[in-house]
mmCIF file with all atom_site columns, all heavy atoms in Angstrom:
data_model
loop_
_atom_site.group_PDB
_atom_site.id
_atom_site.type_symbol
_atom_site.label_atom_id
_atom_site.label_alt_id
_atom_site.label_comp_id
_atom_site.label_asym_id
_atom_site.label_entity_id
_atom_site.label_seq_id
_atom_site.pdbx_PDB_ins_code
_atom_site.Cartn_x
_atom_site.Cartn_y
_atom_site.Cartn_z
_atom_site.occupancy
_atom_site.B_iso_or_equiv
_atom_site.pdbx_formal_charge
_atom_site.auth_seq_id
_atom_site.auth_comp_id
_atom_site.auth_asym_id
_atom_site.auth_atom_id
_atom_site.pdbx_PDB_model_num
ATOM 1  N N   . SER A 1 149 ? -18.172 29.592 -0.654 1.00 94.00 ? 167 SER A N   1
ATOM 2  C CA  . SER A 1 149 ? -17.761 31.071 -0.606 1.00 94.00 ? 167 SER A CA  1
ATOM 3  C C   . SER A 1 149 ? -18.727 31.754 0.340  1.00 94.00 ? 167 SER A C   1
ATOM 4  O O   . SER A 1 149 ? -18.332 32.686 1.089  1.00 94.00 ? 167 SER A O   1
ATOM 5  C CB  . SER A 1 149 ? -17.759 31.700 -1.933 1.00 94.00 ? 167 SER A CB  1
ATOM 6  O OG  . SER A 1 149 ? -19.047 31.561 -2.611 1.00 94.00 ? 167 SER A OG  1
ATOM 7  N N   . SER A 1 150 ? -19.966 31.360 0.371  1.00 91.00 ? 168 SER A N   1
ATOM 8  C CA  . SER A 1 150 ? -20.968 32.059 1.243  1.00 91.00 ? 168 SER A CA  1
ATOM 9  C C   . SER A 1 150 ? -20.576 31.847 2.717  1.00 91.00 ? 168 SER A C   1
ATOM 10 O O   . SER A 1 150 ? -20.611 32.666 3.544  1.00 91.00 ? 168 SER A O   1
ATOM 11 C CB  . SER A 1 150 ? -22.438 31.609 1.018  1.00 91.00 ? 168 SER A CB  1
ATOM 12 O OG  . SER A 1 150 ? -22.844 31.886 -0.308 1.00 91.00 ? 168 SER A OG  1
ATOM 13 N N   . ALA A 1 151 ? -20.186 30.567 2.962  1.00 91.00 ? 169 ALA A N   1
ATOM 14 C CA  . ALA A 1 151 ? -19.738 30.259 4.368  1.00 91.00 ? 169 ALA A CA  1
ATOM 15 C C   . ALA A 1 151 ? -18.552 31.062 4.782  1.00 91.00 ? 169 ALA A C   1
ATOM 16 O O   . ALA A 1 151 ? -18.490 31.560 5.849  1.00 91.00 ? 169 ALA A O   1
ATOM 17 C CB  . ALA A 1 151 ? -19.485 28.685 4.489  1.00 91.00 ? 169 ALA A CB  1
ATOM 18 N N   . PHE A 1 152 ? -17.544 31.171 3.886  1.00 91.00 ? 170 PHE A N   1
ATOM 19 C CA  . PHE A 1 152 ? -16.346 32.002 4.263  1.00 91.00 ? 170 PHE A CA  1
ATOM 20 C C   . PHE A 1 152 ? -16.617 33.359 4.369  1.00 91.00 ? 170 PHE A C   1
ATOM 21 O O   . PHE A 1 152 ? -16.145 34.129 5.305  1.00 91.00 ? 170 PHE A O   1
ATOM 22 C CB  . PHE A 1 152 ? -15.300 31.720 3.171  1.00 91.00 ? 170 PHE A CB  1
ATOM 23 C CG  . PHE A 1 152 ? -14.469 30.441 3.564  1.00 91.00 ? 170 PHE A CG  1
ATOM 24 C CD1 . PHE A 1 152 ? -14.536 29.449 2.514  1.00 91.00 ? 170 PHE A CD1 1
ATOM 25 C CD2 . PHE A 1 152 ? -13.758 30.317 4.622  1.00 91.00 ? 170 PHE A CD2 1
ATOM 26 C CE1 . PHE A 1 152 ? -13.810 28.230 2.748  1.00 91.00 ? 170 PHE A CE1 1
ATOM 27 C CE2 . PHE A 1 152 ? -13.047 29.135 4.806  1.00 91.00 ? 170 PHE A CE2 1
ATOM 28 C CZ  . PHE A 1 152 ? -13.023 28.111 3.901  1.00 91.00 ? 170 PHE A CZ  1
ATOM 29 N N   . ILE A 1 153 ? -17.575 33.934 3.575  1.00 92.00 ? 171 ILE A N   1
ATOM 30 C CA  . ILE A 1 153 ? -17.955 35.396 3.709  1.00 92.00 ? 171 ILE A CA  1
ATOM 31 C C   . ILE A 1 153 ? -18.589 35.497 5.030  1.00 92.00 ? 171 ILE A C   1
ATOM 32 O O   . ILE A 1 153 ? -18.365 36.638 5.775  1.00 92.00 ? 171 ILE A O   1
ATOM 33 C CB  . ILE A 1 153 ? -18.887 35.740 2.508  1.00 92.00 ? 171 ILE A CB  1
ATOM 34 C CG1 . ILE A 1 153 ? -18.030 35.890 1.315  1.00 92.00 ? 171 ILE A CG1 1
ATOM 35 C CG2 . ILE A 1 153 ? -19.585 37.127 2.806  1.00 92.00 ? 171 ILE A CG2 1
ATOM 36 C CD1 . ILE A 1 153 ? -18.764 35.994 -0.014 1.00 92.00 ? 171 ILE A CD1 1
ATOM 37 N N   . ILE A 1 154 ? -19.513 34.713 5.349  1.00 87.00 ? 172 ILE A N   1
ATOM 38 C CA  . ILE A 1 154 ? -20.287 34.764 6.711  1.00 87.00 ? 172 ILE A CA  1
ATOM 39 C C   . ILE A 1 154 ? -19.257 34.790 7.810  1.00 87.00 ? 172 ILE A C   1
ATOM 40 O O   . ILE A 1 154 ? -19.260 35.624 8.796  1.00 87.00 ? 172 ILE A O   1
ATOM 41 C CB  . ILE A 1 154 ? -21.285 33.646 6.846  1.00 87.00 ? 172 ILE A CB  1
ATOM 42 C CG1 . ILE A 1 154 ? -22.475 33.851 5.895  1.00 87.00 ? 172 ILE A CG1 1
ATOM 43 C CG2 . ILE A 1 154 ? -21.812 33.600 8.201  1.00 87.00 ? 172 ILE A CG2 1
ATOM 44 C CD1 . ILE A 1 154 ? -23.387 32.770 5.766  1.00 87.00 ? 172 ILE A CD1 1
ATOM 45 N N   . LEU A 1 155 ? -18.377 33.825 7.888  1.00 85.00 ? 173 LEU A N   1
ATOM 46 C CA  . LEU A 1 155 ? -17.348 33.682 8.932  1.00 85.00 ? 173 LEU A CA  1
ATOM 47 C C   . LEU A 1 155 ? -16.448 34.928 8.984  1.00 85.00 ? 173 LEU A C   1
ATOM 48 O O   . LEU A 1 155 ? -16.106 35.451 9.996  1.00 85.00 ? 173 LEU A O   1
ATOM 49 C CB  . LEU A 1 155 ? -16.546 32.428 8.726  1.00 85.00 ? 173 LEU A CB  1
ATOM 50 C CG  . LEU A 1 155 ? -17.283 31.211 9.133  1.00 85.00 ? 173 LEU A CG  1
ATOM 51 C CD1 . LEU A 1 155 ? -16.478 29.937 8.780  1.00 85.00 ? 173 LEU A CD1 1
ATOM 52 C CD2 . LEU A 1 155 ? -17.700 31.144 10.567 1.00 85.00 ? 173 LEU A CD2 1
ATOM 53 N N   . PHE A 1 156 ? -16.050 35.431 7.784  1.00 89.00 ? 174 PHE A N   1
ATOM 54 C CA  . PHE A 1 156 ? -15.184 36.654 7.707  1.00 89.00 ? 174 PHE A CA  1
ATOM 55 C C   . PHE A 1 156 ? -15.860 37.796 8.331  1.00 89.00 ? 174 PHE A C   1
ATOM 56 O O   . PHE A 1 156 ? -15.240 38.615 9.029  1.00 89.00 ? 174 PHE A O   1
ATOM 57 C CB  . PHE A 1 156 ? -14.651 36.935 6.212  1.00 89.00 ? 174 PHE A CB  1
ATOM 58 C CG  . PHE A 1 156 ? -13.695 37.959 6.136  1.00 89.00 ? 174 PHE A CG  1
ATOM 59 C CD1 . PHE A 1 156 ? -12.372 37.903 6.654  1.00 89.00 ? 174 PHE A CD1 1
ATOM 60 C CD2 . PHE A 1 156 ? -14.121 39.172 5.589  1.00 89.00 ? 174 PHE A CD2 1
ATOM 61 C CE1 . PHE A 1 156 ? -11.527 38.867 6.506  1.00 89.00 ? 174 PHE A CE1 1
ATOM 62 C CE2 . PHE A 1 156 ? -13.214 40.267 5.413  1.00 89.00 ? 174 PHE A CE2 1
ATOM 63 C CZ  . PHE A 1 156 ? -11.945 40.039 5.982  1.00 89.00 ? 174 PHE A CZ  1
ATOM 64 N N   . ARG A 1 157 ? -17.109 38.010 7.914  1.00 86.00 ? 175 ARG A N   1
ATOM 65 C CA  . ARG A 1 157 ? -17.846 39.180 8.411  1.00 86.00 ? 175 ARG A CA  1
ATOM 66 C C   . ARG A 1 157 ? -17.959 39.157 9.984  1.00 86.00 ? 175 ARG A C   1
ATOM 67 O O   . ARG A 1 157 ? -17.888 40.103 10.636 1.00 86.00 ? 175 ARG A O   1
ATOM 68 C CB  . ARG A 1 157 ? -19.262 39.317 7.756  1.00 86.00 ? 175 ARG A CB  1
ATOM 69 C CG  . ARG A 1 157 ? -19.251 39.746 6.403  1.00 86.00 ? 175 ARG A CG  1
ATOM 70 C CD  . ARG A 1 157 ? -20.615 39.843 5.792  1.00 86.00 ? 175 ARG A CD  1
ATOM 71 N NE  . ARG A 1 157 ? -20.511 40.402 4.469  1.00 86.00 ? 175 ARG A NE  1
ATOM 72 C CZ  . ARG A 1 157 ? -21.616 40.468 3.663  1.00 86.00 ? 175 ARG A CZ  1
ATOM 73 N NH1 . ARG A 1 157 ? -22.741 39.896 4.010  1.00 86.00 ? 175 ARG A NH1 1
ATOM 74 N NH2 . ARG A 1 157 ? -21.494 40.923 2.468  1.00 86.00 ? 175 ARG A NH2 1
#
Side-chain angles (χ1 to χ4, degrees):
S167 59
S168 298
F170 278 115
I171 289 168
I172 291 167
L173 288 172
F174 183 72
R175 285 183 177 168

